[in-house]
Amino acid sequence: MTTRTIFFDESGFTGYNLLDPEQPVFTVASADIEDARAEEILRLSFPRNRADEHHFTRIWKSKRHRDGLRTFCNHLDEVADKAFCYATNKRFAVLTKIMDYLVEPAITDAGFDFYDDGFCWRYSNYVHFGLTQFAPPELLDCLLAYYQEFSRDPTRENLSTLQLRLRMMANSADERVQVFLDQMAMGAELFERYTGLEDFRSSNNIQTSTMIAVIGHWRQAHPEDFAVVHDASSAFLRDRVMWEAITAADNQEVELKAGDGSFVPHPLRVVSTEARDSRESFSIQFCDILAGLTAKHFNPDLDDDERAFMNELIGEGLGNISSNRLVPSGEFPIQIPPKRLEGPDVVDQMAALLRDRLG
């Protein structure tokens, strides 16, 4: 079996603080592109670059270099099948975590599959729409801040504070969104019954889960083994134990549903994971530029000039790159309540896989 090397880089990483207003989007870009081809594209796009590497942040800030992004995007059509990006709106990610930890347990306990056909993601869209359309903006801001405060320091005292806050919010909310907040408040009140503080791990780490989603894309597309190469200067794989457990080559053969409802074959066939100095890898630098562009594209706070420029780049070729995203959208649940649960849901299946690996 041949081995396909996939290069990774990221943009917008802010650690466990998912509500940093300066970097609202976290993006992982990946590419199956050899170093020589990546170098050719970068040198043609940014011929006046004199730095020791091509770095998106510096390019974006420089008017003379920023024009080179048009050339870069023109070349993307040639390698469109060799790249994939995943973008996460971090505020929306916190909302989906609220759904996972506060809403899902009771719904699953009632005999429904919270994840089938992407129900969790679709329901999060539904809740987001309600909270942004029928409630003052500060309600959603407070909700996300309160949950993140608890999840970063999940003590019994902080759980009690979260329970009180959510119940007060539910009792005073517009009736059109009250049902959502009631579900969250009840989930917080039953948290120790379903999850328990001793078993709760911070839900603020989206980095490893994003990498798993990206390698899942490559696994759906190609049967080969994968060698993963990522930027050594980044904070990739803060949870290396989890990454290695999920990607282990000798995991049982099974197809698990991704968040969008598609199936991903396991094992993921990752045979090695290597950190490499980006200054020595044009392929990683290529991913750095692509990750930065994707983060800008999905940034909801761009000014009019930046948005117009990004729209140009989409037309120049950035729009040809395959991507997936966790961002608010108008895709709502197909049915409420969700389908009846038939056997373990996807989260239980993943948990079983991890138990076999981690013990």
Side-chain angles (χ1 to χ4, degrees), residues 342-357:
E342 297 179 2
D345 65 25
V346 64
V347 173
D348 289 337
Q349 293 177 55
M350 182 63 73
L353 185 152
L354 291 175
R355 279 196 300 271
D356 291 343
R357 177 61 51 181

Side-chain angles (χ1 to χ4, degrees), residues 275-316:
R276 188 175 297 177
D277 189 335
S278 59
R279 292 171 298 182
E280 300 173 0
S281 172
F282 288 102
S283 297
I284 291 178
Q285 293 173 42
F286 176 93
C287 291
D288 176 278
I289 305 297
L290 193 54
L293 284 171
T294 305
K296 287 293 183 184
H297 172 57
F298 286 104
N299 187 338
D301 301 322
L302 291 187
D303 62 37
D304 291 343
D305 289 341
E306 289 178 323
R307 176 55 60 198
F309 180 61
M310 285 307 306
N311 287 340
E312 286 184 39
L313 297 184
I314 292 294
E316 293 284 354

Side-chain angles (χ1 to χ4, degrees), residues 21-50:
E22 298 301 315
Q23 297 191 70
V25 178
F26 174 67
T27 304
V28 169
S30 61
D32 166 26
I33 181 172
E34 63 278 7
D35 220 49
R37 184 70 180 106
E39 179 181 8
E40 179 185 20
I41 292 173
L42 291 169
R43 294 200 185 283
L44 287 172
S45 302
F46 312 106
R48 292 181 288 182
N49 180 63
R50 295 294 179 265

Side-chain angles (χ1 to χ4, degrees), residues 150 154-157 159 191-192 195-201:
F150 163 69
T155 64
R156 183 161 281 105
E157 179 181 359
L159 176 59
F191 186 84
E192 291 190 271
T195 304
L197 291 171
E198 66 280 0
D199 297 324
F200 180 66
R201 300 182 64 184

